[in-house]
């Protein structure tokens, strides 16, 4: 068997994404020793019970001591605090990455808090579910999914080698890796992920508030469309509060455009402009077909409904 890409990996914050990174990395043989730091006593208990890591602590510096790779998998607004706590434990030449859903704000937090001897390579796996916590993690989460890396604007050889190794790491976990400018990432994700979540939170909130529509009726008659919104609107409140606060400018930009288009639709309905509605709905149907053709139609292709959570596959660490 080949030597692992990173002899020691530290994961700071081990919920859905952190646990999935560990399970996938171990299954791929991409890491040796795994240390976890998590501030939640409940999460730490579960991580130990699931056998996810070689060591589990609340002391972030201790977990990061001598690590070759540190993965920050905490909510976006907690990145600065987590990085400050990790700094005293870091060895020179360590690769630092994260999985946060917003990139410019996280890069700023990491570069401020961490020493220049660390190779900071922000990242974002475009994969997830509406679940949280270590029990929700599963090894296949990143398979056939994009991982976007937003490297710093430096091109020295050691840094480029670190980017290459991190690319090899995510590839070993089954992902397709793309390098992107952080601002472009934040704008694209504002449109494809953040705005849809905002719409879901809003529509479910509106339905719950509507007078005359009882909670029971909302549940009873919720057809496919609304049910899908309720699934998205069940996503972690802390994570999503942080995403909107940290990606404020890009979200407001796409929200402005969205509101204009919604007004145009409302006018088309008012004036019975059926052709306009039909044209739009035909165009969007084509977009959906394109997504299916690209194999990106579910949160985890082939594992969507019956993926095994970490609690059922804790034995993976011995493979
Ligand atoms: P999660 O399941 O809520 O897990 C986060 C864990 O980090 C929790 O146990 C939390 O403890 C702990 N934590 C918070 N602050 C910490 C700190 N300063 N130091 C150490 N541990 C800390 O979250 P997740 O869904 O895995 O999301 C993690 C990151 O992945 C977020 O940045 C999110 O934007 C990104 N992401 C998520 C998804 C998704 O679908 N969920 C997809 C792609 C990317 P407490 O519960 O006590 O706060």
């Amino acid at each position: 068997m080949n030597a692992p890409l990173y002899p020691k990996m530290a994961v700071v914050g081990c919920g859905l994404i952190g646990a999935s990174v560990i399970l996938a990395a171990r299954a791929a043989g991409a890491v040796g020793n795994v240390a976890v730091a998590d501030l939640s006593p409940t999460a730490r208990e579960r991580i130990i019970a699931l056998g996810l890591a070689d060591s589990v602590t609340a002391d972030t510096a201790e977990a990061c001591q001598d690590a070759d790779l540190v993965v920050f998998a905490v909510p976006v607004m907690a990145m600065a605090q987590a990085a400050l706590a990790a700094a005293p434990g870091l060895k020179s030449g360590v690769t630092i990455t994260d999985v946060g859903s917003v990139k410019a704000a996280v890069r700023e937090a990491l570069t401020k808090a961490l020493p220049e001897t660390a190779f900071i390579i922000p990242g974002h796996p475009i994969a997830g579910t509406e679940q949280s916590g270590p029990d929700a993690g599963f090894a296949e989460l990143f398979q056939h999914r994009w991982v976007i890396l937003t490297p710093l604007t430096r091109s020295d050889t050691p840094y480029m080698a670190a980017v290459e190794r991190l690319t090899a790491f995510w590839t070993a976990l089954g992902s397709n890796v793309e390098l992107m400018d952080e601002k472009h990432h934040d704008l694209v994700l504002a449109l494809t992920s953040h705005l849809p979540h905002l719409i879901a939170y809003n529509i479910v909130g509106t339905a719950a508030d509507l007078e005359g529509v009882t909670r029971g009726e909302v549940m009873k008659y919720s057809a496919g469309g609304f049910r899908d919104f309720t699934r998205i609107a069940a996503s972690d409140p802390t994570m999503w509060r942080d995403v909107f606060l940290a990606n404020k400018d890009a979200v407001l930009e796409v929200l402005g455009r969205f509101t204009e288009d919604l007004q145009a639709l409302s006018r088309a309905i008012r004036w019975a402009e059926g052709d306009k509605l039909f044209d739009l709905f035909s165009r969007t149907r084509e977009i959906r077909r394109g997504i299916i053709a690209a194999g990106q139609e579910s949160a985890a292709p082939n594992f969507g409904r019956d993926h095994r959570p970490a609690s059922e596959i804790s034995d993976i660490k011995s493979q």
Side-chain angles (χ1 to χ4, degrees):
M1 200 166 159
N2 291 337
L5 284 162
Y6 298 103
K8 178 177 174 182
M9 172 174 77
V11 173
V12 181
C14 186
L16 163 71
I17 302 293
S20 299
V21 168
I22 294 172
L23 288 165
R26 279 183 153 173
V31 292
N33 184 281
V34 174
V36 161
D38 199 297
L39 293 188
S40 158
T42 320
R44 288 200 303 275
E45 243 172 59
R46 292 303 306 150
I47 294 157
I48 292 167
L50 294 165
L52 279 174
D54 297 293
S55 62
V56 184
T57 175
D59 184 334
T60 304
E62 181 191 309
C64 294
Q65 196 91 47
D66 293 327
D68 305 285
L69 172 67
V70 175
V71 181
F72 289 104
V74 299
V76 167
M77 298 300 263
M79 293 284 180
Q81 185 202 352
L84 280 170
L90 297 176
K91 73 176 180 188
S92 173
V94 60
T95 292
I96 303 280
T97 193
D98 74 291
V99 295
S101 307
V102 177
K103 294 278 52 88
V106 170
R107 188 262 310 144
E108 202 179 321
L110 297 183
T111 48
K112 247 188 208 161
L114 299 174
E116 283 185 0
T117 51
F119 296 124
I120 300 169
I121 309 165
H124 179 202
I126 313 298
T129 74
E130 67 282 10
Q131 310 292 333
S132 308
D135 282 279
F138 58 105
E140 301 88 352
L141 179 64
F142 309 111
Q143 277 186 17
H144 313 298
R145 293 281 147 201
W146 288 103
V147 169
I148 299 175
L149 299 180
T150 57
L152 308 188
T153 48
R154 58 183 276 192
S155 55
D156 52 287
T157 308
Y159 185 74
M160 296 316 284
V163 172
E164 210 168 287
R165 184 173 291 231
L166 189 62
T167 301
F169 172 80
W170 280 111
T171 306
L173 271 56
S175 304
N176 305 313
V177 177
E178 179 128 330
L179 305 188
M180 200 181 273
D181 167 76
E182 63 185 27
K183 283 228 167 345
H184 188 64
H185 166 280
D186 289 353
L187 188 63
V188 170
L189 269 291
L191 183 64
T192 58
S193 168
H194 308 169
L195 183 64
H197 274 81
L198 197 67
I199 293 167
Y201 283 124
N202 191 48
I203 196 168
V204 176
T206 303
D209 288 349
L210 269 187
E211 268 182 49
V213 180
T214 67
R215 204 167 257 267
E217 280 170 316
V218 169
M219 301 299 168
K220 192 168 159 190
Y221 301 121
S222 67
F226 187 74
R227 245 199 330 263
D228 288 348
F229 280 123
T230 61
R231 183 183 59 73
I232 298 171
S235 298
D236 188 72
T238 305
M239 171 186 158
W240 283 98
R241 176 204 60 197
D242 284 12
V243 166
F244 291 116
L245 295 181
N247 201 24
K248 180 169 128 182
D249 292 345
V251 169
L252 290 178
E253 191 176 329
V254 295
L255 194 57
R257 176 63 194 264
F258 175 80
T259 311
E260 276 176 30
D261 290 346
L262 201 58
Q263 288 294 343
L265 272 181
S266 145
R267 215 171 29 246
I269 294 169
R270 183 179 307 283
W271 299 107
E273 295 171 334
D275 288 353
K276 276 195 184 156
L277 297 177
F278 187 84
D279 287 350
L280 175 67
F281 302 164
S282 303
R283 267 199 293 137
T284 55
R285 174 180 256 194
E286 284 312 309
I287 290 170
R288 167 71 186 168
R289 287 176 177 162
I291 290 170
I292 291 170
Q296 301 289 313
E297 77 279 19
S298 71
N302 307 323
F303 305 103
R305 290 203 169 244
D306 59 352
H307 68 254
R308 292 178 304 154
S311 51
E312 288 170 28
I313 47 176
S314 56
D315 58 332
I316 206 154
K317 71 181 164 58
S318 58
Q319 289 174 6

